[in-house]
Amino acid sequence: MFRILSFLLLVFLSWNCKSKQESLIEEIQELLEEQSYEKASGMLKDYLVKPKSDDEVLSSEKPETPRIVELSYDRKRLVYLEDSKLIWRDASDGSNGSKSLDEVPASLAVSLNANFALAEYPMTNGCRLFAISLKNNDLLYESGAQISCRNRGGISDDGSKIYYFVDNQLYEEKTVEPRTPKLIVSKEKIVPPFTGLKARFYLYPIGKDFLLFSGNAGSYYLYYFQPEKKSVEKIDQEVISPLIYYGTGDSAYYLGGSIGRLHLRRLQFGKGKPSSSKLFTISRKEINPWKLPGKNEFVSNYSGKVHLWGPSRKSQVLPLLCERIWLVDQNKVLCENEKGGLYLTNLEFPEEDWRILKLYEEARDK
């Protein structure tokens, strides 16, 4: 009897959800017949922007400062900052937590498995650094350095060391007293493509080591930084953006090429020196590539739309409107919509959603 009731309840909920979609479609079709295109477009957009009943809403309110989102290298651990509240959740074991900070950080970087974070706090003439544990309360370390807010530092996966840039040089500092910063890479070893421009530097963890971007204005060099050896080695040039999009396994993706001709590049890491390979030319709507598992397909967002694409398939707009997206775990899309809401959704859509997207495009283009 319990199983029968549960089945009937699921059928009812499914029918009820579908009936709402069908009711919306019928109402929109009437509006289109009346040539009320603006009203129809607004109603359809409102549906596509909002999370659905089976989506997981993480935040329904827009924070006062831009939300910062970071992921572990395997995309299983999500860390995001909403004003002075630091929140994390782990897809592998379902754990989650939050920590209230005294101030609103200007930026945030996480360790390889996102167990530790490095927060930058703005000051009058630069930023100061805090190393924070996201597992427990055993680390809250303030660095003695005052650094430029233009760069992105890093933190080791055990939280024992932080890395940051001062005057275009890379320093290492243990997260214990007394504060003892050490210069480990001089500026001559991490030169940018154009020495006449003020350079920016970015660190991203890959295993015990880091990727290091050096450059500015759409032109960067990519270096391989090994903290234990205090060494750097250039592994790529003609890099467009100093952003990394973690893939599945020990891989990451970034953008190379030149302005007007963008190339997707893949970086394999985990066994010695990372190897970089050029994949294929991409368009502007594919510039934030999140790799799907098991397929040569990606999702990106551009101009409020979410695209599913790949080298051997035509780009497809999904029935989902997001200002920014991240791919969490294997195939969960973290969507930040234009209203500032943040929610997790999957990439499986009912037929009614595709019909609603088509109606929205028709009404919007009238």
Side-chain angles (χ1 to χ4, degrees):
M1 179 63 69
F2 176 76
R3 291 181 178 177
I4 293 173
L5 291 174
S6 297
F7 174 76
L8 291 175
L9 178 60
L10 289 172
V11 171
F12 171 77
L13 291 175
S14 176
W15 174 85
N16 188 50
C17 179
K18 182 178 180 181
S19 67
K20 290 179 180 179
Q21 294 167 324
E22 289 292 345
S23 297
L24 175 62
I25 291 172
E26 291 176 3
E27 186 175 357
I28 293 302
Q29 288 174 336
E30 291 178 1
L31 290 173
L32 294 179
E33 291 176 1
E34 298 169 359
Q35 297 186 352
S36 299
Y37 303 120
E38 186 175 350
K39 183 178 180 180
S41 176
M43 292 176 62
L44 291 165
K45 181 179 180 181
D46 189 58
Y47 174 84
L48 295 169
V49 165
K50 289 182 178 180
K52 309 304 181 289
S53 59
D54 56 346
D55 293 338
E56 184 178 358
V57 178
L58 304 183
S59 179
S60 57
E61 297 183 2
K62 184 177 182 179
E64 294 182 3
T65 55
R67 186 183 281 117
I68 298 175
V69 177
E70 291 287 331
L71 296 172
S72 59
Y73 88 102
D74 58 5
R75 304 193 308 215
K76 293 184 179 297
R77 193 166 172 88
L78 164 67
V79 180
Y80 60 101
L81 183 69
E82 295 203 337
D83 296 327
S84 60
K85 189 175 184 180
L86 189 57
I87 306 162
W88 60 91
R89 51 184 292 114
D90 199 314
S92 59
D93 60 12
S95 63
N96 60 80
S98 64
K99 188 186 295 285
S100 294
L101 307 177
D102 293 335
E103 302 175 51
V104 179
S107 67
L108 188 74
V110 297
S111 60
L112 181 74
N113 289 300
N115 291 320
F116 296 90
L118 183 64
E120 287 188 351
Y121 290 93
M123 301 176 66
T124 304
N125 296 310
C127 277
R128 58 193 176 98
L129 293 170
F130 270 88
I132 305 168
S133 172
L134 302 181
K135 298 187 298 182
N136 44 48
N137 295 318
D138 62 354
L139 178 63
L140 182 59
Y141 173 82
E142 180 180 4
S143 169
Q146 182 171 323
I147 65 169
S148 169
C149 301
R150 294 169 50 84
N151 306 314
R152 175 189 170 99
I155 184 169
S156 62
D157 202 45
D158 61 0
S160 64
K161 296 176 182 178
I162 59 174
Y163 304 92
Y164 53 85
F165 299 90
V166 177
D167 296 331
N168 296 356
Q169 303 191 113
L170 180 56
Y171 285 78
E172 175 188 271
E173 183 175 338
K174 293 182 179 180
T175 55
V176 293
E177 300 289 349
R179 302 185 181 100
T180 54
K182 295 181 179 179
L183 173 65
I184 55 173
V185 178
S186 65
K187 59 184 178 183
E188 292 81 13
K189 296 181 180 180
I190 49 175
V191 295
F194 303 109
T195 56
L197 296 176
K198 194 170 185 178
R200 305 184 73 171
F201 302 89
Y202 299 79
L203 286 176
Y204 294 92
I206 50 167
K208 295 182 179 180
D209 306 323
F210 290 84
L211 299 176
L212 191 161
F213 291 91
S214 169
N216 205 336
S219 183
Y220 292 85
Y221 288 155
L222 176 58
Y223 294 90
Y224 173 45
F225 166 48
Q226 296 178 278
E228 290 184 357
K229 296 182 179 180
K230 297 179 175 56
S231 66
V232 291
E233 184 177 356
K234 186 190 294 185
I235 56 176
D236 201 1
Q237 55 190 15
E238 293 184 347
V239 177
I240 293 289
S241 170
L243 298 178
I244 283 291
Y245 302 89
Y246 289 117
T248 53
D250 296 333
S251 64
Y253 297 83
Y254 63 100
L255 304 182
S258 58
I259 301 299
R261 188 170 179 80
L262 306 175
H263 296 142
L264 183 64
R265 297 184 181 177
R266 180 178 59 224
L267 191 96
Q268 294 292 146
F269 58 87
K271 295 181 180 180
K273 178 183 174 182
S275 61
S276 176
S277 55
K278 299 179 182 179
L279 298 182
F280 42 82
T281 302
I282 61 174
S283 66
R284 289 185 63 190
K285 64 183 179 182
E286 300 161 349
I287 60 174
N288 53 343
W290 293 101
K291 176 73 167 58
L292 290 173
K295 301 177 181 180
N296 197 13
E297 294 179 343
F298 300 79
V299 288
S300 298
N301 70 294
Y302 179 73
S303 190
K305 300 178 183 178
V306 181
H307 300 262
L308 175 64
W309 58 277
S312 58
R313 63 163 295 156
K314 185 179 179 180
S315 178
Q316 182 180 28
V317 178
L318 301 179
L320 182 68
L321 296 181
C322 306
E323 293 301 304
R324 293 194 295 169
I325 66 164
W326 300 260
L327 204 61
V328 180
D329 196 4
Q330 295 299 306
N331 56 4
K332 283 280 188 177
V333 173
L334 178 65
C335 173
E336 183 182 62
N337 61 27
E338 65 176 17
K339 298 180 180 180
L342 189 71
Y343 63 93
L344 283 165
T345 187
N346 58 46
L347 291 173
E348 297 178 359
F349 303 96
E351 181 61 32
E352 290 77 18
D353 281 3
W354 292 104
R355 291 173 61 189
I356 288 172
L357 174 64
K358 184 177 180 180
L359 288 171
Y360 169 65
E361 292 175 338
E362 291 175 358
R364 182 200 56 198
D365 294 340
K366 291 294 185 178

